[in-house]
């Protein structure tokens, strides 16, 4: 990072701080932030400040976006990049907040070349260089539960990270020194295992939505990594290890501090 950029960041952090009380409310009341150390919280606050300065948060369909909501969304969006740096969140500028799950219409071509018109209800969506789209209802629901395994913002940010090196395929750019073979072998094996269980209608400890495709697998296991690391570790220890190396965080070490 050059001198000018560093100076600009210092200026933003100084001129646009998140109000102390608002930050306390978010990080002390939400389970997902409870186990962070004071140093991690301070770093997360800096990232969230940059996020709010660089991204425009827009409410649609009558959804009001209050300052408190902005801080919640920014803190959740920045948690996955705590060890990766803010650069991973650059290249897009908008967060669109729907009041609740929103409907999208898509055209999808099947293997035979037939185009199907589909209408689906989504709680979040993200596009490579486009906006991050989330439903406030879903965020609130995740926050209300003290032991939620889901988090729509973390899910969509995982898709964003995945798309940093091309289409979403469950293979984000890995940090230097992480062998690609270890990542793909480990995640593919776990994904195939999950797909088989879902196909045979067996109970799964991970949300079966993760079996939709490798991109959804990566996004869903990322949610578990941050929100329920003990479940992910118990089910797929090797996958947890790959995510620990990738995200450069170890949420399992936080569990003793808040999963009692
Ligand atoms: Zn998804």
């Amino acid at each position: 990072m050059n001198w000018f950029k560093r100076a600009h960041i210092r200026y933003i952090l100084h001129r646009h701080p998140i109000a102390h009380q608002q930050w306390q409310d978010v990080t002390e009341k939400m389970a997902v932030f409870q186990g962070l150390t004071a140093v991690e919280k301070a770093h997360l606050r800096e990232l969230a400040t940059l996020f709010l300065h660089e991204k425009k948060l827009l409410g649609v369909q009558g959804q009001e976006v209050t300052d408190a909501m902005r801080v919640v969304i920014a803190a959740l969006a920045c948690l996955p990049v705590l060890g990766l740096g803010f650069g991973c969140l650059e290249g897009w500028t908008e967060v669109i907040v729907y009041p609740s799950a929103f409907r999208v219409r898509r055209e999808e071509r099947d293997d035979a070349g037939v185009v199907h018109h589909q209408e689906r209800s989504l709680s979040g969506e993200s596009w490579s260089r486009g906006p991050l789209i989330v439903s406030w209802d879903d965020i609130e629901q995740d926050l209300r539960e003290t032991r939620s395994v889901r988090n729509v913002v973390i899910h969509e940010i995982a898709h964003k990270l995945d798309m940093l090196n091309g289409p979403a395929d469950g293979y984000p750019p890995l940090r230097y020194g992480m062998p690609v073979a270890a990542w793909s072998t480990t995640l593919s094996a776990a994904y195939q295992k999950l797909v088989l269980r879902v196909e045979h209608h067996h109970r799964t400890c991970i949300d079966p939505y993760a079996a939709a495709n490798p991109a959804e697998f990566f996004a869903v296991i990322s949610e578990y990594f941050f929100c329920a690391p003990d479940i992910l570790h118990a089910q797929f220890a090797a996958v947890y290890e790959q995510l620990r190396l990738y995200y450069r965080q170890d949420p399992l070490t936080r569990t003793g501090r808040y999963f009692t």
Side-chain angles (χ1 to χ4, degrees):
M1 194 188 295
N2 63 31
W3 176 87
F4 179 77
K5 192 158 186 186
R6 269 204 300 272
H8 182 59
I9 287 174
R10 271 202 303 275
Y11 172 81
I12 294 166
L13 296 177
H14 180 69
R15 291 296 299 266
H16 306 276
I18 294 172
H20 179 72
Q21 193 55 50
Q22 251 166 14
W23 185 249
Q24 293 287 99
D25 285 349
V26 168
T27 50
E28 284 179 9
K29 289 179 189 160
M30 288 166 47
V32 73
F33 300 117
Q34 295 291 304
L36 296 174
T37 64
V39 172
E40 287 173 325
K41 276 188 192 171
H43 184 39
L44 184 67
R45 188 175 181 170
E46 288 183 354
L47 293 173
T49 305
L50 292 177
F51 187 92
L52 290 176
H53 185 261
E54 299 218 341
K55 315 289 183 204
K56 212 185 296 169
L57 277 70
L58 301 168
V60 294
Q61 293 183 349
Q63 177 65 53
E64 187 196 356
V65 182
T66 63
D67 283 350
M69 290 159 73
R70 286 161 48 82
V71 174
V72 167
I73 292 170
L76 287 171
C78 293
L79 181 62
V81 302
L82 200 55
L84 300 174
F86 193 78
C88 291
L89 297 181
E90 284 172 349
W92 53 280
T93 53
E94 282 185 346
V95 179
I96 296 176
V97 186
Y98 278 81
S100 54
F102 47 94
R103 298 198 72 76
V104 293
R105 298 185 72 178
R106 293 278 150 69
E107 285 185 359
E108 280 177 21
R109 191 179 294 271
D110 66 18
D111 293 343
V114 179
V115 174
H116 299 270
H117 296 269
Q118 292 194 332
E119 193 168 323
R120 288 190 294 155
S121 181
L122 300 176
S123 53
E125 191 170 41
S126 47
W127 295 82
S128 174
R129 300 190 73 79
L132 187 88
I133 309 168
V134 287
S135 127
W136 180 252
D137 250 10
D138 285 81
I139 297 175
E140 253 197 332
Q141 199 181 319
D142 295 336
L143 300 183
R144 262 198 307 271
E145 292 174 25
T146 48
R147 188 66 169 93
S148 176
V149 297
R150 303 304 309 265
N151 191 286
V152 65
V153 179
I154 292 174
H155 180 105
E156 298 308 328
I157 291 293
H159 282 317
K160 283 280 189 195
L161 297 173
D162 190 356
M163 289 185 282
L164 285 174
N165 58 354
D169 54 4
Y171 171 49
L174 302 178
R175 76 187 271 195
Y176 182 74
M178 277 186 76
V180 175
W183 176 272
S184 37
T185 312
T186 308
L187 268 71
S188 297
Y191 172 66
Q192 295 301 342
K193 199 171 157 187
L194 189 72
V195 168
L196 272 179
R197 288 195 70 83
V198 171
E199 280 176 358
H200 290 95
H201 306 289
H202 291 157
R203 202 179 73 82
T204 58
C205 291
I206 300 286
D207 188 331
Y209 182 61
N213 56 53
E216 295 308 334
F217 182 72
F218 173 63
V220 172
I221 58 172
S222 293
E223 292 178 75
Y224 278 78
F225 181 72
F226 290 105
C227 302
D230 49 340
I231 296 178
L232 180 64
H233 190 267
Q235 288 304 304
F236 298 119
V239 169
Y240 180 89
E241 178 59 13
Q242 287 297 311
L243 293 193
R244 187 185 70 77
L245 292 171
Y246 169 66
Y247 282 112
R248 305 178 200 189
Q249 298 186 53
D250 194 356
L252 204 54
T253 61
R254 298 170 189 155
T255 57
R257 274 170 265 162
Y258 73 102
F259 291 138
T260 51

